[in-house]
Amino acid sequence: AVWVSEIMLQQTQVATVIDYYNRWMQKWPTLQALAQASLEVSVAGAGCSPCPRGFSSNTVPCLLEQEVNELWAGLGYYSRGKRLQEAARKVVSELAGQMPRTAEDLQKLLPGVGRYTAGAIASISYGQATGVVDGNVIRVLCRLRCIGADSSSPAVIDRLWDMANVLVDRSRPGDFNQALMELGATLCTPKAPLCGECPVKQHCQAWRRKLFGKPAPVPDVEDCGVGGCPLCPPAAEPWDSTLGVTNFPRKAAKKQPRAARTATCVLERRGCHGAPEYLIVQRPSSGLLAGLWEFPSLPLAQGLQEEKQREVLADHLQAWMGWPVVAKDLRFIGEVVHIFSHIHQTYVVYSLPLDGDVTLDPALSPSRWVTQEEFYASAVSTAMKKVL
Ligand code: SF4
């Protein structure tokens, strides 16, 4: 349970995670249940044609991946669910069902478990006296010690891990780590910290500096406070008294997200009861939105004229449908913008109603026809939901 919650909470707010966590734990309450489901599908995979879920090609273990992706849909960073499933399988099949119990082993042996997650599992579940550093801890520790260099720099991150490992309570490491993270989430907040209520304010250099104009003397002058220190604020960015403790932490200027354009086409046919059905295809198993489903889509080169966009999209669709698609038959619907953390993505949306049936080529990526209801229940990204 700690593992699942920590993986889901990476880059995601608690309020968003709660429902996903409950549904996941209901479906796979233990690591063995998840691993078992995965192994069962691997065994059944070779015989699951025709696929009961309507997939046009048979990848093993397609069903479980599908279920994981469906359950994860909307949570973002989809590879996390896949890694959880892989790691559960590894624990059961290679580690005799025994979870590694130290942060070092967890990080070394389990896919998708990084330094933070390993520290959280080891301290909370197994009582190892090891620290954790997440966004909240970074903020608290940078303020406690007036660390003003870029908080994402390796020198600062290494020092914060050292501090977290020294500070952690040997007798109750899990409680200590959760309390430190909670302090950052509730009192030592990014914009309006409640320093007056803070239980560690007497130890906080940033708070003292705000009150008295300077921090208490730093004990280790070899490490800090002298020119060229990798932890101190750059000389060009001195203490701003209007910001108080929120002078810390400091971050390097954010990179602007890259702009990208993708043409996408909603192919629509009438299903057996006359209701519309849409063709969705599965994305590759690695990279952005790995394994999710989408309308047939094609990245567009920068500056491509509208006419040319239609032509390249028509060629792309032809590969799916097996017959020529006339570019002018594609109806332009509009543009949908979706912001990923590092990409400003614009979908140029077309539609194409079809008469008669289309035989999908099983040699291509998995694809299937879905009703509107099935579409929303499928592992499709939020961006694709906006498109429909
Ligand atoms: S005193 Fe203020 S800045 Fe310092 S740790 Fe507490 S809440 Fe954060």
Side-chain angles (χ1 to χ4, degrees):
V2 171
W3 183 15
V4 172
S5 65
E6 290 298 346
I7 297 280
M8 286 189 170
L9 284 166
Q10 289 166 7
Q11 323 277 344
T12 313
Q13 302 279 331
V14 176
T16 310
V17 162
I18 291 172
D19 271 356
Y20 287 89
Y21 172 82
N22 287 336
R23 273 186 278 134
W24 183 285
M25 294 307 290
Q26 213 171 1
K27 197 167 188 66
W28 298 296
T30 62
L31 182 149
Q32 282 75 13
L34 177 60
Q36 188 59 35
S38 172
L39 293 169
E40 277 167 9
V41 170
S42 292
V43 171
C48 70
S49 185
C51 182
R53 299 285 293 275
F55 297 103
S56 67
S57 74
N58 186 16
T59 51
V60 177
C62 63
L63 291 179
L64 182 65
E65 270 181 30
Q66 191 60 20
E67 282 185 279
V68 167
N69 278 338
E70 282 174 12
L71 208 143
W72 211 274
L75 199 54
Y77 300 95
Y78 294 89
S79 59
R80 294 179 296 173
K82 194 173 162 201
R83 296 280 103 79
L84 252 177
Q85 177 200 332
E86 286 169 7
R89 212 162 42 209
K90 183 168 183 187
V91 171
V92 169
S93 57
E94 295 177 31
L95 305 174
Q98 296 297 312
M99 270 290 276
R101 286 176 169 251
T102 65
E104 297 72 23
D105 284 350
L106 283 158
Q107 194 179 347
K108 193 167 70 186
L109 297 174
L110 298 187
V113 173
R115 195 174 182 182
Y116 163 78
T117 308
I121 298 172
S123 61
I124 298 169
S125 301
Y126 301 119
Q128 185 188 6
T130 187
V132 294
V133 174
D134 72 346
N136 285 320
V137 173
I138 289 174
R139 188 166 55 256
V140 173
L141 295 183
C142 283
R143 288 175 180 170
L144 279 174
R145 285 293 170 265
C146 280
I147 294 175
D150 171 10
S151 63
S152 61
S153 72
V156 170
I157 292 293
D158 281 352
R159 182 56 63 96
L160 295 177
W161 274 100
D162 290 345
M163 285 169 68
N165 284 329
V166 169
L167 288 171
V168 67
D169 186 318
R170 266 51 209 158
S171 60
R172 294 171 62 192
D175 288 347
F176 177 90
N177 285 337
Q178 290 179 86
L180 191 56
M181 291 187 276
E182 197 64 11
L183 177 66
T186 57
L187 292 182
C188 196
T189 54
K191 292 206 174 105
L194 303 169
C195 298
E197 299 170 30
C198 178
V200 297
K201 58 179 178 287
Q202 297 301 342
H203 305 282
C204 180
Q205 303 271 344
W207 184 71
R208 295 179 71 88
R209 182 159 187 173
K210 184 182 161 201
L211 285 189
F212 309 119
K214 58 178 184 176
V218 176
D220 190 351
V221 291
E222 280 181 11
D223 290 340
C224 198
V226 290
C229 169
L231 305 180
C232 284
E237 296 172 27
W239 169 268
D240 178 343
S241 57
T242 63
L243 295 177
V245 299
T246 63
N247 271 282
F248 308 106
R250 293 187 187 183
K251 292 186 184 135
K254 236 188 176 177
K255 264 203 208 156
Q256 285 302 313
R258 152 175 84 80
R261 289 174 73 77
T262 294
T264 190
C265 185
V266 181
L267 285 164
E268 184 179 330
R269 72 174 187 185
R270 292 287 133 189
C272 39
H273 302 297
E277 290 184 346
Y278 308 99
L279 179 69
I280 56 173
V281 302
Q282 192 171 27
R283 291 183 60 82
S285 58
S286 59
L288 183 70
L289 305 174
L292 292 198
W293 294 77
E294 64 182 10
F295 298 115
S297 301
L298 183 72
L300 294 171
Q302 288 293 338
L304 208 60
Q305 297 298 314
E306 215 264 325
E307 198 181 330
K308 196 70 193 155
Q309 283 180 18
R310 279 173 192 272
E311 282 173 22
V312 292
L313 181 60
D315 287 349
H316 181 67
L317 295 174
Q318 184 171 330
W320 288 103
M321 302 176 40
W323 73 60
V325 174
V326 181
K328 71 176 176 39
D329 290 346
L330 296 173
R331 193 153 64 92
F332 175 68
I333 302 295
E335 295 193 349
V336 168
V337 173
H338 188 77
I339 313 283
F340 296 97
S341 55
H342 56 302
I343 302 174
H344 187 285
Q345 175 74 63
T346 302
Y347 291 95
V348 186
V349 184
Y350 292 86
S351 78
L352 182 62
L354 298 172
D355 295 325
D357 203 8
V358 177
T359 308
L360 301 171
D361 183 350
L364 294 171
S365 303
S367 56
R368 58 191 166 125
W369 290 97
V370 288
T371 62
Q372 187 167 4
E373 199 183 1
E374 288 165 343
F375 173 83
Y376 285 112
S378 299
V380 292
S381 65
T382 308
M384 281 296 127
K385 288 181 183 163
K386 286 189 198 170
V387 166
L388 190 62

